[in-house]
Amino acid sequence: MTKEEIRGAIKDAGVVGMGGAGFPTHVKMTPKDDSKIDYIIANCAECEPYLTSDYRMMLEEPEKLITGLKVAVSLFPNAQGVIAVEDNKPDAIALLQEKVKGEEKISVMLLKTKYPQGSERQLIYAVTGRKINSSMLPADAGCIVDNCDTLIAVYMAVCENTPLIRRIVTVTGDAVKEARNLNVKTGTLYSELLEYAGGLTCEPEKVISGGPMMGQALVSLDVPVTKISSALLCMEKDMVAANPTTACIRCGRCVAACPSRLVPQKMYICATHNDLDGFEKLNGMECFECGACTYGCPAKIRLTQAFKQMRQAVGARRRAEAAAAKAKQEAEAAKKAAEK
């Protein structure tokens, strides 16, 4: 297959980033200059607590993962493939290392087990030492990052001509009778997954789609599995609601926890005053809502939720300003045309 045919197969199969972003993979695989891509990184860190779907795929279908990575590497003349795995998965690491023996362009890299190691920025820095920010794409640093399951979907699209219509979902939590990973078709309801896992041991106070750090709380189980659904987490107790918010004591734990090296304590002051300019000056848009600051805050302040709302407000303002600038340019152009 030619490179265009490979990219076309990935597009036609509907492959997207399955780590949570859902960005079209064929677009990611089509940078401006193929020769400037040095690394294709398979994100197998899976740093979110409770989630084990990628881990099971590494153990049960390593050949598909490696072949999918080889397909991606073949698109770029100077690229090396790196399977990045946290060191708390020794059996998966040993199996993958055995499978890539003799592969010149594929290697396995061990990463320190820490959260949020699976974040794109942190992963690129851990693997290559290169830094990116919110205004850059990984391709600007010569890297392309794909989730473990995404690369398996690439293999299925290119080698088996199979569209992306399935997802591996972790069904877990202390309120679930039989925690397990399920291979399901997209569109399957969460309630059906829970029924297959034996149901609930009690009525959960918190149900989350995704992991406990970056997942979304659900009010109903009549929600379909999508391409970016990673887990169904049912918790007996809502630990967030059980800990009321108190006053900030300026201990600095949120600053120490932030992987983007921001100052959440000052960002939160801007958030409480709806100070969008101040939030931007503090580089608040570099926050990717990992939840580390909220988790470490002894005052139990909902920092991440506040930052998410501020980032949405700043984004909306930027879009409005861009639309106003475009309308002004069009008006001026029309005026000049009328004068002529």
Side-chain angles (χ1 to χ4, degrees):
M1 297 174 70
T2 65
K3 293 181 180 180
E4 289 71 23
E5 288 172 336
I6 291 173
R7 290 181 171 118
I10 294 171
K11 178 182 179 181
D12 292 343
V15 180
V16 300
M18 298 170 75
F23 192 79
T25 300
H26 74 277
V27 176
K28 188 182 288 188
M29 295 285 189
T30 315
K32 294 179 181 178
D33 188 350
D34 290 352
S35 63
K36 291 186 178 180
I37 300 300
D38 302 318
Y39 298 96
I40 309 295
I41 303 173
N43 185 353
C44 300
E46 199 168 36
C47 58
E48 272 261 28
Y50 290 95
L51 272 59
T52 56
S53 57
D54 288 349
Y55 170 62
R56 294 310 312 172
M57 295 298 281
M58 284 184 271
L59 288 177
E60 297 182 24
E61 297 186 341
E63 294 85 0
K64 292 183 180 181
L65 167 61
I66 294 166
T67 306
L69 181 56
K70 288 168 70 175
V71 169
V73 169
S74 72
L75 297 172
F76 307 98
N78 303 319
Q80 291 284 330
V82 179
I83 303 175
V85 191
E86 286 190 323
D87 57 15
N88 64 343
K89 305 174 180 68
D91 47 353
I93 291 167
L95 179 60
L96 290 169
Q97 287 177 333
E98 179 65 27
K99 295 290 184 181
V100 301
K101 278 185 178 178
E103 297 285 351
E104 293 182 359
K105 288 195 167 186
I106 306 291
S107 62
V108 178
M109 177 175 284
L110 278 67
L111 303 176
K112 183 179 179 181
T113 301
K114 62 179 179 179
Y115 180 84
Q117 189 73 275
S119 165
E120 199 168 58
R121 298 180 203 172
Q122 277 63 42
L123 189 68
I124 289 173
Y125 182 74
V127 173
T128 70
R130 301 176 183 181
K131 298 180 180 180
I132 63 170
N133 55 43
S134 62
S135 64
M136 300 170 63
L137 293 172
D140 296 328
C143 300
I144 289 177
V145 180
D146 283 307
N147 175 262
C148 168
D149 210 5
T150 304
L151 289 169
I152 293 174
V154 167
Y155 160 82
M156 295 175 69
V158 176
C159 303
E160 297 185 356
N161 197 29
T162 304
L164 177 54
I165 55 173
R166 69 100 182 98
R167 175 76 213 205
I168 312 300
V169 182
T170 301
V171 182
T172 186
D174 54 12
V176 175
K177 282 187 179 179
E178 301 174 14
R180 55 183 62 190
N181 288 291
L182 301 177
N183 185 342
V184 301
K185 295 290 189 291
T186 52
T188 306
L189 294 180
Y190 276 142
S191 56
E192 296 176 291
L193 270 61
L194 192 59
E195 181 182 350
Y196 193 84
L200 297 167
T201 59
C202 63
E203 186 65 28
E205 288 188 1
K206 176 77 80 173
V207 179
I208 300 173
S209 173
M213 300 298 286
M214 299 184 72
Q216 298 291 325
L218 298 177
V219 295
S220 170
L221 288 171
D222 293 326
V223 176
V225 171
T226 67
K227 295 177 183 180
I228 60 173
S229 300
S230 58
L232 175 63
L233 182 59
C234 301
M235 306 301 294
E236 185 178 339
K237 299 292 183 182
D238 185 348
M239 299 307 295
V240 176
N243 292 281
T245 299
T246 58
C248 172
I249 59 173
R250 300 182 182 179
C251 63
R253 290 187 187 178
C254 57
V255 180
C258 181
S260 295
R261 302 183 186 279
L262 303 176
V263 187
Q265 182 255 329
K266 290 188 176 181
M267 289 162 56
Y268 183 70
I269 294 174
C270 294
T272 56
H273 293 83
N274 199 31
D275 182 2
L276 302 185
D277 293 330
F279 186 79
E280 284 194 89
K281 287 179 182 178
L282 291 169
N283 295 316
M285 297 304 285
E286 295 297 318
C287 169
F288 56 91
E289 302 164 20
C290 69
C293 56
T294 303
Y295 182 82
C297 179
K300 308 301 178 185
I301 298 172
R302 316 293 194 258
L303 297 167
T304 307
Q305 184 178 7
F307 301 156
K308 183 174 185 176
Q309 293 171 345
M310 288 296 285
R311 292 177 75 242
Q312 290 174 344
V314 171
R317 186 174 72 171
R318 287 179 177 178
R319 289 190 293 272
E321 290 174 348
K326 183 179 179 181
K328 183 178 179 181
Q329 289 178 351
E330 290 175 349
E332 290 176 352
K335 183 179 179 181
K336 288 180 181 180
E339 290 174 351
K340 289 181 179 180

